[in-house]
Amino acid sequence: MRCRSPADRGGVTVEAAIAVCGLLVVLVLGACGVTAVIGQLRCTDAAREAARLVARGERDRAEAAVRSVAPAGARVVVHSEGDAVRVEVSAEPALGLLPGVHLRAQAFAVLEPGDDR
């Protein structure tokens, strides 16, 4: 039978508390990463749909599509370049716990013939 000194009491508890805190940090950062990836995919989908709608001459519907598909607070910029259109959708990650991470997607489409824009 081993005798333990009073200074050893609670050592395992402290180690377990540190391990649980570390695990919690990893889980929160993982959840933030997954949320950022989903937000990026939503920005990409919104940009693609908006570019298609603008090319068809439905700019109002394009902005409504971005509001419904992209993450909340997303911004849309439409650039017309000759017979082509480029749409850029940008947003901030949902939970905001990843500093320096900005979501941004672009899509390109050729204007449909016969339309005057």
Side-chain angles (χ1 to χ4, degrees):
M1 192 170 193
R2 248 171 64 182
C3 288
R4 293 186 178 175
S5 69
D8 287 343
R9 293 183 50 103
V12 173
T13 304
V14 171
E15 292 169 359
I18 291 172
V20 168
C21 288
L23 182 62
L24 184 63
V25 167
V26 168
L27 289 174
V28 167
L29 288 176
C32 289
V34 168
T35 302
V37 168
I38 291 170
Q40 179 65 40
L41 292 172
R42 290 178 66 192
C43 284
T44 302
D45 289 344
R48 184 191 68 235
E49 188 64 23
R52 186 182 66 79
L53 287 168
V54 170
R56 287 177 36 191
E58 302 178 46
R59 188 178 181 123
D60 294 336
R61 285 187 64 198
E63 292 173 2
V66 169
R67 281 194 304 275
S68 67
V69 175
R75 295 167 302 281
V76 62
V77 178
V78 178
H79 302 280
S80 293
E81 302 156 353
D83 67 342
V85 65
R86 183 173 49 92
V87 176
E88 182 178 321
V89 175
S90 59
E92 296 299 319
L95 299 178
L97 296 176
L98 297 174
V101 175
H102 305 285
L103 308 177
R104 185 171 157 251
Q106 291 184 6
F108 177 84
V110 177
L111 297 175
E112 301 222 356
D115 293 332
D116 295 329
R117 289 183 211 21

